[in-house]
Amino acid sequence: MITNLPTSRDFENVAKQCLTQAFNIVYQIDEGLLYFEELQSEDVWEYHLGDLSTSLILVYQAIESLMKARICQESTLLLIDLKRTDWPTMPEQADKDFNELYTIGGEALQKTYGAAISPAKAEKDLMKFVEEIRFERNKIIHGVSRRYLDPEYLVKIILNTYTYFLGKDSWWLTMRELHINNPLFGIFNDNNYEEANLIEKLNYVEEVVGQAELCKHFSLNLKSRRYFCPWCQSSLAKEDGDLDTKWALLIPQKKKGATEIKCINCQRTQPVARQKCNQIACKGDVMSEEERCLTCNSYK
């Protein structure tokens, strides 16, 4: 008997960890460049080529795990790379842990994925994407690749991996989930501040890939008019009043006179009043319960 069969969720969790590590590598190397314009970004990226290569390897590892997660929804046994005659499944044979068996990878995994997932033809773009990342990963693993890897490319493939396999919003929801569930969360700062401060990563990604590209990975339209989030602003003001980027959107987005906002950063939905701001230079008409204009951030 084959024991300890993994589930789809097991592989999905591995993928999320890999993608989060891949993103954090890029973010920790690159985010400082946004504030120090005198640094030559190409020099920094060249120096950290090994780290950026590791990020790409982690992305491909995540892709394989996500493909395995989808295959597991059909049958985990499809992942075993052994002749059926060699399976430890006969009465006289000892049990074997799944993790001790050879499992498929690379092209064999793609072939199995195509056979197990019914709309394989509809996923032509996905398979092209997977092959591109596999090719780049193999050059790093099996050679001495010196390919120039820039953070924009890496962040884009991380976002695409999430959206292709887990759908829109999955990147940011996973980033939040793993950050908040970390046992170290809140040890060094106020819980609310730490949660709200994730806005730095949103700001970074939008700066790197652009609003239009980032919008592809969210169900809400980020190109719509954006507002300050009262909860994020209050939470950040306790330690850092400079982070005042707008990530809240009126919802429902197509409803005229909507009276709620949803913040992408903190994921909170909050009521608002539709009143004109009394600041002459501001044309905003969205007020928080504390009578703060969420367009210009001034109080009534």
Side-chain angles (χ1 to χ4, degrees):
M1 180 177 180
I2 300 172
T3 62
N4 197 27
L5 291 175
T7 65
S8 178
R9 178 65 62 86
D10 292 328
F11 282 113
E12 188 176 301
N13 287 339
V14 169
K16 288 179 178 179
Q17 291 287 347
C18 288
L19 289 170
T20 299
Q21 290 180 51
F23 175 81
N24 285 338
I25 287 171
V26 178
Y27 177 72
Q28 288 162 12
I29 292 170
D30 196 46
E31 60 108 10
L33 294 174
L34 299 180
Y35 308 105
F36 299 101
E37 296 180 359
E38 66 275 11
L39 287 175
Q40 293 297 313
S41 57
E42 291 82 1
D43 293 341
V44 175
W45 299 337
E46 178 68 23
Y47 179 79
H48 288 284
L49 179 60
D51 298 306
L52 296 174
S53 295
T54 299
S55 178
L56 189 141
I57 292 168
L58 285 167
V59 172
Y60 184 71
Q61 186 175 339
I63 288 172
E64 285 209 336
S65 292
L66 288 166
M67 293 176 77
K68 290 177 179 178
R70 292 278 293 274
I71 292 168
C72 275
Q73 292 174 4
E74 304 301 318
S75 173
T76 304
L77 299 178
L78 289 169
L79 298 175
I80 297 174
D81 192 14
L82 286 175
K83 292 181 180 178
R84 296 295 185 268
T85 53
D86 294 333
W87 281 23
T89 53
M90 299 306 290
E92 69 277 6
Q93 292 179 293
D95 291 349
K96 199 82 169 178
D97 190 292
F98 178 88
N99 294 310
E100 298 176 14
L101 302 174
Y102 289 107
T103 56
I104 58 174
E107 291 184 79
L109 178 60
Q110 292 182 41
K111 293 283 188 180
T112 305
Y113 181 89
I117 309 305
S118 55
K121 290 184 179 179
E123 298 193 355
K124 185 177 179 180
D125 289 342
L126 169 59
M127 300 313 295
K128 182 180 178 181
F129 170 74
V130 171
E131 185 59 19
E132 173 200 329
I133 308 305
R134 188 178 77 87
F135 180 72
E136 294 299 335
R137 175 260 189 191
N138 285 349
K139 286 197 297 184
I140 295 169
I141 293 293
H142 302 300
V144 189
S145 175
R146 298 295 299 171
R147 186 205 159 173
Y148 179 74
L149 291 170
D150 68 79
E152 179 182 352
Y153 169 74
L154 291 168
V155 171
K156 281 183 176 179
I157 64 174
I158 290 168
L159 293 175
N160 283 330
T161 300
Y162 272 109
T163 302
Y164 271 133
F165 286 99
L166 301 174
K168 291 186 177 183
D169 304 314
S170 60
W171 166 66
W172 189 243
L173 293 178
T174 299
M175 290 290 295
R176 282 180 46 79
E177 175 190 359
L178 293 180
H179 181 77
I180 292 171
N181 290 340
N182 189 325
L184 296 177
F185 176 73
I187 286 181
F188 303 107
N189 293 292
D190 171 80
N191 280 15
N192 287 357
Y193 173 78
E194 275 211 32
E195 181 182 347
N197 197 48
L198 278 167
I199 204 169
E200 287 189 323
K201 292 185 176 180
L202 271 177
N203 293 342
Y204 166 75
V205 171
E206 185 170 48
E207 179 70 24
V208 169
V209 304
Q211 186 186 76
E213 178 67 26
L214 185 59
C215 193
K216 298 175 185 176
H217 305 284
F218 286 88
S219 52
L220 290 175
N221 183 7
L222 302 185
K223 297 178 185 177
S224 299
R225 182 172 296 172
R226 282 152 50 171
Y227 301 90
F228 291 108
C229 167
W231 186 88
C232 289
Q233 287 298 102
S234 297
S235 300
L236 290 168
K238 296 174 183 178
E239 298 191 42
D240 189 348
D242 295 331
L243 282 172
D244 57 0
T245 311
K246 299 175 179 178
W247 282 99
L249 299 152
L250 284 166
I251 56 170
Q253 288 196 295
K254 295 183 179 180
K255 179 182 177 182
K256 188 174 181 179
T259 56
E260 285 188 320
I261 56 168
K262 180 169 182 177
C263 177
I264 299 295
N265 183 47
C266 71
Q267 290 292 299
R268 286 169 173 78
T269 299
Q270 300 164 84
V272 292
R274 304 306 299 268
Q275 299 174 19
K276 192 175 185 318
C277 178
N278 59 10
Q279 299 294 314
I280 296 175
C282 179
K283 297 182 179 180
D285 65 347
V286 178
M287 294 281 178
S288 71
E289 290 183 319
E290 297 79 22
E291 297 191 312
R292 175 192 291 181
C293 174
L294 301 183
T295 300
C296 70
N297 207 29
S298 63
Y299 283 95
K300 186 174 179 181

